[in-house]
Amino acid sequence: MRLGTVLSGDSLLTVASDDGSVVHDISRYAGPDGLCGLIGAVELDDIATIDLSAYPIIDPQNVRWLPPIPKPGKIFCVGLNFSTHAAEVVTEVRDNPTLFTRFPSSFVGHEEPLIRPHVSDTLDWEGEIAVVIGKAGRHISATDAPNHVAGYTVMGENSVREWQLHSKQATAGKNFDSSGSWGPWIVTRDEVPNPSALEIVTELNGSQVQHGKLADLVFDIDAIIAYISTFTELSPGDVIATGTPAGIGHRQKPPRYLAPGDELTIRIPGLMELRNSVADDSAGSK
C-alpha cells in the first residue's frame, strides 16, 4: 500500500494507492488527524489491507502533493552513512551515527519546486531513502526495530553547501525553506520484506548522478532506530533519512550545483520516484 497527502483546493486529503497509478481519497478512513494520526491509531498491518474500492478516485494531476506527513514531530538525518560518500568528502567513518535534524518547513512535496536561496548558489542534491516510524517506542532494540516501522519513502535531503560549511554544525545549510523534498508516498513495510535490498538512484536532468544500496549502509535502519530511541522516544510519523551515497555535486570537478530549470528525480526502483524542478528564491538573486 502507498499512502500520501495532497492538497485539493483548500482541503487536505489523505490518499492511498495500490501501485501509485490509481489514487483514492481515504480521508474518511484516516480521520481528522490525517496520515500521521492514521498510522498512530491503526495496527500497521491493517493499513495494508484497506479496501480502496470503497473510497473515491481522484485525479493526481488536479492536486498539489505535500510531504506524506506535512509536519512530522521529528526529522532525523544520518550523515556520512555510505562509506563511499564519507570517502568523497574526505572524512573517516565514525563509531556512532552522525545525526542532525531538519525542520518540516525545509521540505516540499512531489512535483513542487525546490527553492535555491538568493544568498547562495550552492544548493546540492542528496538522494536518500527514509523510514517513517509507525509505532512509538523508547530504548528499542535493533531486533525489535522493524516492528516500529510504518514504511519507506524517498527524500531529497539537499544541502546549501556554503552555509553547511559555516561551522561544524550542519543545521543552517540543511534547513533553508523549501530546499528539500520527500514523498510522494510512504510504501508500507509489508511491501518491503528486505529493506537492505532497496536501492536509491538520483538523476539530474535525466543523467544518473548517484546510486546506492541500503545493504552498503555503515549503520543499517535497525541500528539507527535503536541508537536514536536511546536518547528520545520515537513517535508515529517521525522520519529518519538514512544517508546519501557518493555523487554529490559539491565534489564534482568543477563543482556542479542545482540551478533554476534543473530537474531532479530521485527513485527507489520498483517502488516510487520523487520529481522536483528548481527555482530561484523570489526574494531576490545573488
Side-chain angles (χ1 to χ4, degrees):
M1 183 73 69
R2 288 152 176 76
L3 303 167
T5 301
V6 301
L7 190 63
S8 178
D10 295 328
S11 300
L12 205 64
L13 306 180
T14 302
V15 296
S17 177
D18 285 324
D19 60 6
S21 59
V22 180
V23 180
H24 295 259
D25 174 8
I26 63 164
S27 302
R28 174 166 49 89
Y29 177 82
D33 293 327
L35 186 50
C36 188
L38 174 63
I39 64 176
V42 179
E43 289 294 327
L44 297 178
D45 291 339
D46 291 342
I47 296 176
T49 64
I50 300 171
D51 179 10
L52 294 182
S53 66
Y55 298 94
I57 295 174
I58 66 169
D59 184 350
Q61 301 302 317
N62 291 334
V63 297
R64 287 184 59 192
W65 289 88
L66 302 178
I69 298 175
K71 295 183 178 180
K74 307 182 193 75
I75 304 172
F76 292 101
C77 303
V78 185
L80 307 173
N81 203 22
F82 280 88
S83 57
T84 54
H85 177 50
E88 76 173 342
V89 299
V90 194
T91 190
E92 295 181 358
V93 174
R94 298 182 181 274
D95 294 332
N96 296 297
T98 297
L99 299 176
F100 55 90
T101 58
R102 289 191 65 144
F103 312 141
S105 60
S106 69
F107 290 104
V108 297
H110 174 60
E111 295 186 337
E112 292 292 305
L114 300 167
I115 302 302
R116 185 180 75 166
H118 73 273
V119 296
S120 178
D121 59 5
T122 62
L123 179 62
D124 197 357
W125 58 83
E126 292 192 42
E128 307 195 15
I129 293 173
V131 59
V132 180
I133 298 298
K135 177 183 175 183
R138 180 84 192 277
H139 300 292
I140 301 168
S141 69
T143 301
D144 191 39
N147 295 323
H148 291 261
V149 172
Y152 304 86
T153 189
V154 176
M155 180 177 286
E157 203 283 288
N158 309 321
S159 305
V160 179
R161 296 296 181 195
E162 181 182 1
W163 280 66
Q164 181 187 356
L165 299 174
H166 279 178
S167 72
K168 293 183 179 180
Q169 302 297 323
T171 302
K174 294 290 187 177
N175 281 289
F176 275 84
D177 287 350
S178 304
S179 60
S181 59
W182 72 282
W185 300 109
I186 298 170
V187 174
T188 53
R189 68 186 185 194
D190 61 291
E191 294 200 27
V192 188
N194 181 16
S196 64
L198 293 178
E199 300 181 33
I200 187 72
V201 176
T202 305
E203 294 180 353
L204 177 62
N205 300 327
S207 297
Q208 182 175 302
V209 290
Q210 288 183 297
H211 175 252
K213 301 178 180 180
L214 286 196
D216 296 330
L217 290 179
V218 177
F219 302 99
D220 65 18
I221 290 172
D222 297 343
I224 295 166
I225 290 174
Y227 183 81
I228 293 174
S229 70
T230 303
F231 65 83
T232 187
E233 180 176 11
L234 288 170
S235 301
D238 288 349
V239 182
I240 304 172
T242 57
T244 199
I248 61 172
H250 185 64
R251 289 297 170 176
Q252 294 190 16
K253 296 183 179 179
R256 167 63 159 98
Y257 299 113
L258 293 171
D262 281 340
E263 298 287 337
L264 190 67
T265 302
I266 308 171
R267 66 170 56 91
I268 303 175
L271 285 186
M272 75 178 94
E273 70 176 33
L274 171 66
R275 298 187 302 272
N276 299 95
S277 59
V278 180
D280 256 336
D281 190 340
S282 60
S285 60
K286 188 177 178 182

